[in-house]
Amino acid sequence: MLSLAGSFSLVWLLIWLVLSCLFGLIYPLLRNGFRRIHPGQGSVLLLYFWSGPVILSLVTTLLLFIAPLEGVVVSDHCHGDCGDHVPLINSPWLAGTGLALLVIVVVALAIHFSAALFRGIKMRRRLKMLTTPDKGFQRVNTGVAAVFTLGWWRPEIYVSSALLSHCQEQDLSVILAHEKAHLMRRDNLALLLVRVFTLMLPRRWQSDVLADMHLLCEQACDFVSARRHKPVQVAETLVRIGRLLKSQSSRYEALTSHFDGSDLELRVQALLDISQRKRLASWQLGMLLGLTAILLYCALSPLHHGVEWLIELLETYGS
């Protein structure tokens, strides 16, 4: 039992690490592609893309450890009795190390995810003493201009009284349409998931991915707001309110994480070119899914042999 659990754990971690590095290397080639399509679809595809290393490594490992599939997807080879087999570690210490490493990684990811959730809950409790309900949002009684969406499962919109004093009625309508789009899309949760999925990446790579995800989420919500208001009106509001928020003290940066004036030029340009941002057709998405399945199938046999070779090398080195 230890041999099976340890082998599964070590193989999953190794494939996960390799796929994370591979996705990180090819991402710069795909980055402009994500930015050229409709941001509503682009943000979803980016989330799916970075969930790939975790999900694909798990699926691949499960397939490698289903013995009846060995004769279907793995080229013929023998280990004694030549029966169907899975790549197992015989060394107890190596199997135990693999299982321990997986437990550590899973616990670390769970802690990171939970800590972010509790930070949001703690911030909401603090704000409760400063807020009063208004029409469709919570008014924050503070002299600092701020607007943000807080919460993961049931997010709420917060607008400061200082910002309201600088807003015209049309500006407020644009802002609320933008923030309500964040609520409907669960963007806070999507950003958190991308952060968790990219924890194995170098910090600079992770920062680039998070910046792209943030930009796509903002543009997607700008586009939703532009359905009700003209794109030019949304762009004008972005410039007026964005500059105001950007001028605030940096200690409020965490509160203005959405309608905050960051990436202002890119967001305005996207609104002016809104007709050029097209969604991928269903057949294109189907081709991407089919190509992924084909690549996964073709990789199973080399992975099986590669894992056996690596296990043999580790056991030889360990002995």
Side-chain angles (χ1 to χ4, degrees), residues 140-162:
V140 185
N141 300 311
T142 175
V144 176
V147 53
F148 53 95
T149 300
L150 183 62
W152 311 103
W153 312 115
R154 290 181 293 178
E156 291 183 304
I157 301 170
Y158 294 82
V159 185
S160 72
S161 53

Side-chain angles (χ1 to χ4, degrees), residues 96-219:
T97 300
L99 183 58
L101 286 175
L102 180 61
V103 171
I104 291 172
V105 170
V106 171
V107 170
L109 292 176
I111 290 175
H112 186 89
F113 186 82
S114 301
L117 291 179
F118 284 117
R119 281 198 300 270
I121 294 172
K122 187 176 180 180
M123 186 179 293
R124 176 175 285 183
R125 287 175 177 172
R126 288 180 177 179
L127 285 170
K128 192 173 183 180
M129 298 181 293
L130 302 173
T131 59
T132 54
D134 211 317
K135 296 180 180 179
F137 62 93
Q138 298 289 328
R139 180 193 292 262
V140 185
N141 300 311
T142 175
V144 176
V147 53
F148 53 95
T149 300
L150 183 62
W152 311 103
W153 312 115
R154 290 181 293 178
E156 291 183 304
I157 301 170
Y158 294 82
V159 185
S160 72
S161 53
L163 180 64
L164 291 172
S165 66
H166 288 85
C167 279
Q168 301 175 6
E169 184 176 348
Q170 178 181 301
D171 291 335
L172 182 59
S173 180
V174 169
I175 291 172
L176 291 180
H178 175 99
E179 296 299 327
K180 286 177 181 177
H182 280 304
L183 265 64
M184 297 298 295
R185 289 166 41 85
R186 296 291 192 273
D187 282 336
N188 285 355
L189 184 59
L191 284 163
L192 176 59
L193 288 173
V194 171
R195 184 180 297 275
V196 171
F197 289 147
T198 56
L199 281 178
M200 282 197 173
L201 295 179
R203 187 171 296 274
R204 190 186 69 176
W205 290 9
Q206 185 189 40
S207 297
D208 289 342
V209 173
L210 291 174
D212 289 346
M213 185 65 178
H214 182 270
L215 174 62
L216 288 171
C217 288
E218 295 308 307
Q219 290 178 337

Side-chain angles (χ1 to χ4, degrees), residues 7-21 57 61 89 101 200 303 306-307 310-311 314:
S7 301
F8 184 92
S9 301
L10 189 60
V11 171
W12 183 14
L13 283 176
L14 288 173
I15 296 177
W16 185 354
L17 180 61
V18 170
L19 285 179
S20 294
C21 294
S57 60
T61 307
I89 297 174
L101 286 175
M200 282 197 173
L303 277 174
V307 166
L310 182 60
I311 289 174
L314 290 174

